[in-house]
Structures are given as C-alpha cells and as structure tokens.
Amino acid sequence: MITGKMFRDGIISASNNIANSRQAVDALNIFPVPDGDTGTNMSMTIGAAAKEMAVLADDCTISEASSRCASALLRGARGNSGVILSLIFRGFSKAFKGLDEADGKAIAKAFSEGVEAAYKAVMKPTEGTILTVIRMASEAAGEAVKADNNPMHIAETALAAAKEALAKTPEQLPVLKKAGVVDAGGQGLVLILEGFESVFDHSAIVQALEGSAVAPVSAPSKSTVAAASDDIEFGYCSEFLIEKANDAKEKDPLKLRAFLESIGDCVVVVDDSDIIKVHVHSNQPGNVIQAALKYGQLINIKIDNMRYQHRNADEGVKEGEEPVLPPADPTNDYGFVAVCAGNGLTELFKDIGADIVVSGGQTMNPSTDDILNAINATPAKTVFVLPNNKNIIMAAEQAIPLAEGREVRVLQTKTIPQGISAMLMFDEFDDADTNQMNMMEAAEHVSTAQVTFAARDSEVDGNPIEQGEIMGLCNGKIKFTGKDIADIAFKSADKIFKKNQNSLITIIYGEEATEEMASEVEAKLRDKYGDEVEINIVNGGQPIYYFIISVE
C-alpha cells in the first residue's frame, strides 16, 4: 500500500529530482525567445508543494497529504506547464479523498482523474506534450490494474509508459523531431514520476544537488541592504556561471572582465577549467547576459534589483519576501489587476486605471497565488485580470474560484499592448459582460512587435539563429534577425503596419534601449509613412525586450 508518508516523501523527492535537472529541461524549449522556461516553472510549482509536505507528520493519511499537496500546487502554479502539473495532482487528490492508504486501484484511478482534470483545462489539447505523457501513463495503469492490484507495480507500469510516450513525442510534433528533442513538459513529468519511484521502490528521497534549488530571487543580507541607498549607482546585481563551450565565439575571460568593468562595478570573473563564475553590479543586466553568452551556456542565473530591495528593507519587508498586499473590502463596482515588468509600464497601467500591478512577464511568470493576492487586494466587486502574456493566462484563470467575495474575469491578453488597449476600452457605465466583450475586441485589433535576443541557438523556418542574436517578433512569430536593434525594431513595426488600416504606432522602449534608439525607429517610420501615422514613444523600462511596439 502507498501511505501518506510515502506520498509526502514522493513529492519532496520529485521536487528535488526535477530541480536537479531543470536546466536540462529548460534547454528542451526549442523557441529561442527568453521566457519562463518549462523546467523552471514546473520546478517552482512542485517546490511550493514540497515545502508544504515538509511539515506533515509521518502518520498523515494519503488523503491529507494529497489534498494539501494539490492546494499548494494550485497556488504555486507558474506558467502553463505548472498549471497543468497542478491539475494532474488535483485529480490525484480527488481519487485519494478519504483514504488512509492507496492500493493499485486507487493509483490507477488517480492517474485517470489527473488526465481528466488536465485535458479539461486545455481548450485545444496538443498531442506530443505533457498531456500525451500523462494520458499514456494512465491508460497503462488502467490496463495493469485489471490483473494486479499491487500499487507499486501499477506505479512502475505508469512510469514505464510515460517514458515510452515521452520518447515518441518527436514523432507527434514535427518541430520536436526537427530539433532532435523530446517535449519539455513531458520530460518534466517523467522526472517527477521518477522522484516518486525512488521513494516507492527504494525508500530513498532523491537529494537536491548543490545549486539546484529553484526559488524566487533572494534578497542580500540586511547589512548589505542597509548600506545601500536610493542613490545606488548600479542597481542590478547579476551572478551566474558560464559553462564554457568548445565552439564559443570568445575564449578569453579577461576580455569579459574588461567589458563588465566598463558598464558596472564589483566585478568578479573567476576562470576555472570548465566554468567561469561571474558577479557584477550594473544598470544593464541584459548586456551582461549577452556578453556572457559569447563564452558558453549560462547556469544558476540570479539577478537582484538592489534599489528595490533597499526600498523594501526601509518598509520593513523581510529578506526573501514580497511585500504583503492586505485584502481589501470590495467597495467599488470594478477593479483591475495587470501583469507587467518595468517601472514605466507599471506606472502606465496605474495611470489608465489598474488598481494592482503584479510584477512579472516573459522570464518571471507570477504564480496563481501572486495573482490571487492582487485580486483580493483590489477593492472591487468585479475584478478584471490582464495577464498580458500567453504563459500567464492559465495561472490567472486558476485564481478565479479562489478569490474571496468578488467576481473575477480574466481577459486573455497575450501582450502588453493588448492589455493597454483593453483597459482603455473600459466603460464604467457598461455592465461586466459588455465590458469584457468590448475590451477583448479592442485587444484583438492590436498588432504587436517585440525585439529581444535569442536565448539559445535555434532554427526557425529553416533559418539558423545564433544565441545572443537580435530577433524581431511580429505577433509572436520570429520574422527578422540581425545585429542592429533599431533596424530590427523598424522592420518589425513596418511588417505589422497596414496602410489604410492602421494609423497609430506606439514604441515602448525597455531598460536596455534608449530614447535615442526609439527616436531613430520613429524617424524611419515617419520617412516611410509621413502624415499617415501618429507615433508615440513610451519609456516602459521593461527587461528582456528592447522594444515592444503596438500598431492600431
């Protein structure tokens, strides 16, 4: 029988196992855009459950352990992969409800319930993904239990089927086959099931390797924060390891040190046989990352905003904690929660009516709990949530039934410009249904161009893309690559602008771009379109993206 203690230890083991391999899972993502990668999101999601499990007593029932696990996963879910993982375990919890221990039939039922919960949440399920892996595991468990009620054997059968399904994912998704990789979400799920196997078969919890733990960016010591001030010259502390590549463009770490010293201070570059350890304070963390990518792959990346930490220290926020948002009484009819990154964008969303802005975006997907806390802190009976990123929508939707004393409506905004246009369309005199329809219609009429850098070597539509190369995305698809940021921005904006249909272009420049660069893009667009177009420039201060450009 599978006891509550075994399930508890299995979650901890699974969390450690995927944390140990999260970078390898992240590397399976074939799209080169820097994002909240699958391994990291799944690891942070199950890590939230592992913390909850660590306080459970040895005599807990499997009903209690699985219920508390499902609750922690739901609130800690990050990204689409994290949400799907939380739903699978919600199904497990449903199957184990009321049980002290689980036999083979209960294990098979748990997989079946997990599949049902996961598939229901995805509007258009894609085979060759984590969904396929859990479904094949469930089907194998269902067949095996007809002849054998041994829960260990059922779990082993499910794991074997999951591994087989994972190996076949490249045959189901041509993009995986072309890249020569398996599905990242499926791989993450197999690692989690292997963590359980270690406990079930060997009574051994997989131990976390040094440096493998996934956690939100931690604050420095109190003494460090106390010594800081709002006048900090270089606001971002960047630390990471470079795994040297044999075919790297650059070999000499002294050259890297010289560059880092030219843009920051507190520079440490330690060269080992296979690894270069880097530490630097700068105002340009993106440039630091790009320079380092020339030497090889980056691991154990940590970027702290020291000005933000100092501000929180002054306000009494404990180390490693986010500021607590107190719940608010729903006194207003309507309220808004928006997700974005960057001081300029934060102020912009607040200026146009957002009550709470949740910090997050492409590389830092907020959890369901982050969004839920913001909803509960919004003083409104109906709260509209604007995720502004396709990988945050599912996490936001999980917060809907958890909100206290208010109705929550998640608008499926996939970009920052969509979120802005949706909010500007709100009419306080219309009802919630009418507003939701009008706001989404406005969002869908916005085209978005984004300019960023390639996080990994890749190939798109037969064209190779090198790590660190500048990319222009038009409505989510990579259309341009090159070295000149402003030129790529112009080409991307020009690509989505349609004469006689569009009349407004908004250029939002990020923390690694300048107003001069934005003006250069504006000048090129004016040269081509003249009085046909109105152009606005906004300092968004967003990380990762040099430019976010909207066309309406």
Side-chain angles (χ1 to χ4, degrees), residues 81-311:
S81 57
V83 171
I84 291 172
L85 181 65
S86 75
L87 293 171
I88 290 170
F89 277 89
R90 186 189 298 178
F92 285 11
S93 175
K94 184 177 179 181
F96 294 146
K97 186 175 181 180
L99 299 181
D100 291 337
E101 300 175 335
D103 60 7
K105 291 181 180 178
I107 296 297
K109 183 180 179 183
F111 275 100
S112 177
E113 295 282 5
V115 170
E116 184 178 352
Y119 269 84
K120 276 184 178 179
V122 180
M123 188 172 297
K124 295 181 180 179
T126 300
E127 296 303 328
T129 66
I130 183 175
L131 295 173
T132 303
V133 175
I134 188 63
R135 179 173 58 79
M136 297 303 293
S138 175
E139 290 176 1
E143 285 298 314
V145 80
K146 294 177 181 178
D148 185 357
N149 194 34
N150 185 317
M152 306 297 186
H153 293 167
I154 303 305
E156 288 172 1
T157 300
L159 173 58
K163 290 181 177 179
E164 184 178 350
L166 176 66
K168 293 179 179 178
T169 55
E171 301 303 320
Q172 295 171 292
L173 287 176
V175 291
L176 296 178
K177 186 173 184 178
K178 190 172 184 179
V181 298
V182 295
D183 176 67
Q187 178 66 79
L189 180 62
V190 166
L191 288 166
I192 287 169
L193 295 179
E194 286 177 339
F196 273 95
E197 180 191 37
S198 181
V199 172
F200 292 175
D201 287 358
H202 311 293
S203 300
I205 294 176
V206 173
Q207 296 302 302
L209 301 177
E210 185 178 353
S212 68
V214 179
V217 174
S218 58
S221 67
K222 279 288 184 182
S223 58
T224 302
V225 174
S229 74
D230 289 331
D231 295 323
I232 293 172
E233 182 178 2
F234 299 106
Y236 293 91
C237 174
S238 302
E239 293 181 87
F240 50 86
L241 301 177
I242 305 174
E243 191 174 70
K244 294 181 182 177
N246 292 330
D247 58 348
K249 297 177 183 177
E250 298 287 355
K251 303 288 188 181
D252 186 1
L254 294 178
K255 187 175 179 181
L256 176 61
R257 176 184 288 136
F259 171 76
L260 296 180
E261 288 175 344
S262 72
I263 66 168
D265 64 6
C266 299
V267 176
V268 176
V269 178
V270 180
D271 183 28
D272 199 351
S273 56
D274 300 314
I275 295 289
I276 302 173
K277 183 175 182 180
V278 177
H279 172 279
V280 60
H281 294 174
S282 75
N283 288 323
Q284 303 168 338
N287 288 352
V288 171
I289 296 298
Q290 275 196 273
L293 285 170
K294 297 177 182 178
Y295 293 79
Q297 294 193 46
L298 308 188
I299 56 179
N300 296 348
I301 303 173
K302 184 167 78 77
I303 300 177
D304 291 339
N305 184 329
M306 295 185 293
R307 295 188 182 97
Y308 179 76
Q309 290 170 341
H310 174 66
R311 203 159 56 240

